[in-house]
Amino acid sequence: MENSSDTTGMNFILLGLFDHTQTHVILFSMVFIIFIASLMGNALMILLIYVDPKLHTPMYFLLSQLSLMDVMLVSTIVPKMAVNYLINTKTISSVGCGSQIFLLLTLGGGECFLLATMSYDRYVAICHPLHYHILMNQKLCFHMTAGSWLLGGADGLMQAGAILGFPYCQSREVNHFFCEAPSLVRLACADTTVFEVFMYVCCILMLLIPLSLILASYSFILAAVLRMQSTAAQKKAFSTCSSHLAVVGLFYGTLIFVYMRPKSYRAVNSDKVVSAFYTIFTPMLNPLIYSVRSKEVKGALRKWLEKLV
């Protein structure tokens, strides 16, 4: 097969997630509805946090950043997938493909560190409530958030640049519904061993280290909750933490499944389905999980609706 070392002018072919059968049309419609719900839910969270002074706290500032990342994440993936499906085309330019890889890794990596920051915020709030405003001051909160964006961006820039630098074979069919790093690496007509080791190291840094911090934070939270005298306070803390951990488990679990499995255990079709969870479904769940149980968010929504009426 012919090789091409110049990727700047070539197109890739995305085989997609759905066919044009009746069942897949229904599934596509459901995914598109989830996409709209995700956009509206996260945009509403950002708006409420911005307009209500009571929500100008470190916890809600971090939540607004999470919502912003989720809006950008679904907007990176779903519109292109929807356009390709609706007009029955499968091509994506190398620039578009590189942009998807960069944004996906930037937002995915940034969200990993942001979730770790949010777990630290909850640890301080529950375990050290009297020192909360000292340990989670505005300056530290901003630095931790900026660090999440910068670390994610550095990972995305390095990996996207390396992947597009490979020579690709004549067949440029990507068996996926978006350009994901492992799927592109499979098509490279070069020895990718060094890059795969590098990608694995990045996964350890971007996934396992933040996950370890999250688990450590919630372990301390659990110990503090068990020492509480009030049963009502225990139930409230358990309810909140369990829902947060459910989102963390779904997000990290799918990322680890896609990026950290040995190459011999990878199945393309299962990768596509699992990738849909962290790129499409989790962004919809985040505003529900982090806001439905919050009296402050409900109050802010009520006041905002009253102003509109």
Side-chain angles (χ1 to χ4, degrees):
M1 297 225 289
E2 296 178 4
N3 294 355
S4 174
S5 59
D6 181 16
T7 60
T8 56
M10 70 180 186
N11 293 331
F12 291 97
I13 299 171
L14 296 173
L15 297 184
L17 184 61
F18 303 112
D19 297 323
H20 288 273
T21 62
Q22 185 175 2
T23 302
H24 279 210
V25 169
I26 294 172
L27 290 174
F28 169 77
S29 301
M30 291 175 61
V31 167
F32 196 75
I33 291 171
I34 290 171
F35 165 67
I36 297 298
S38 178
L39 282 183
M40 293 179 63
N42 284 291
L44 182 60
M45 281 299 301
I46 295 171
L47 175 65
L48 292 177
I49 292 170
Y50 177 76
V51 300
D52 196 316
K54 290 184 178 179
L55 300 183
H56 293 176
T57 63
M59 180 180 74
Y60 288 108
F61 172 74
L62 295 173
L63 183 55
S64 71
Q65 294 299 302
L66 180 67
S67 292
L68 177 59
M69 288 182 178
D70 284 339
V71 166
M72 294 176 66
L73 183 61
V74 294
S75 300
T76 298
I77 304 301
V78 178
K80 178 60 179 175
M81 179 193 74
V83 169
N84 281 5
Y85 184 79
L86 292 173
I87 66 176
N88 199 23
T89 184
K90 297 181 178 180
T91 60
I92 183 171
S93 67
S94 60
V95 174
C97 199
S99 298
Q100 280 195 338
I101 294 172
F102 168 72
L103 289 171
L104 181 70
L105 292 171
T106 296
L107 296 167
E111 190 160 326
C112 287
F113 284 103
L114 188 64
L115 287 171
T117 301
M118 293 175 72
S119 70
Y120 172 74
D121 173 79
R122 291 300 82 208
Y123 158 73
V124 174
I126 293 174
C127 299
H128 303 282
L130 299 179
H131 300 92
Y132 180 78
H133 293 292
I134 298 174
L135 297 175
M136 277 300 294
N137 58 70
Q138 187 176 7
K139 185 177 180 181
L140 176 62
C141 188
F142 175 78
H143 285 165
M144 294 173 78
T145 304
S148 299
W149 282 97
L150 290 174
L151 288 170
D155 180 50
L157 187 62
M158 288 188 293
Q159 292 203 45
I163 290 170
L164 291 183
F166 286 127
Y168 286 90
C169 300
Q170 189 176 19
S171 176
R172 301 189 183 103
E173 292 185 347
V174 183
N175 193 2
H176 218 306
F177 61 97
F178 64 94
C179 289
E180 192 172 44
S183 300
L184 267 290
V185 171
R186 295 189 189 105
L187 302 180
C189 292
D191 184 5
T192 60
T193 305
V194 175
F195 174 75
E196 288 184 46
V197 172
F198 168 73
M199 189 165 64
Y200 201 79
V201 172
C202 285
C203 287
I204 293 175
L205 296 174
M206 305 297 288
L207 292 174
L208 297 188
I209 292 179
L211 180 59
S212 299
L213 295 174
I214 290 171
L215 294 178
S217 295
Y218 278 103
S219 296
F220 286 116
I221 290 172
L222 178 60
V225 169
L226 291 175
R227 290 195 299 268
M228 290 180 178
Q229 300 297 322
S230 171
T231 304
Q234 283 186 339
K235 288 182 178 180
K236 182 179 179 181
F238 272 127
S239 177
T240 302
C241 292
S242 61
S243 59
H244 291 186
L245 284 173
V247 173
V248 168
L250 181 61
F251 183 71
Y252 277 92
T254 52
L255 282 175
I256 291 172
F257 182 84
V258 171
Y259 284 93
M260 297 197 70
R261 276 181 307 153
K263 196 173 183 179
S264 57
Y265 288 92
R266 289 177 182 169
V268 176
N269 289 331
S270 63
D271 278 3
K272 289 197 289 186
V273 175
V274 172
S275 296
F277 277 92
Y278 79 87
T279 57
I280 301 172
F281 296 109
T282 304
M284 181 195 68
L285 292 176
N286 282 340
L288 295 175
I289 294 295
Y290 286 100
S291 64
V292 166
R293 301 173 187 269
S294 172
K295 293 181 180 179
E296 292 86 357
V297 173
K298 291 179 182 177
L301 178 59
R302 193 179 301 110
K303 285 195 298 182
W304 183 68
L305 291 175
E306 288 172 355
K307 286 182 180 179
L308 292 180
V309 175

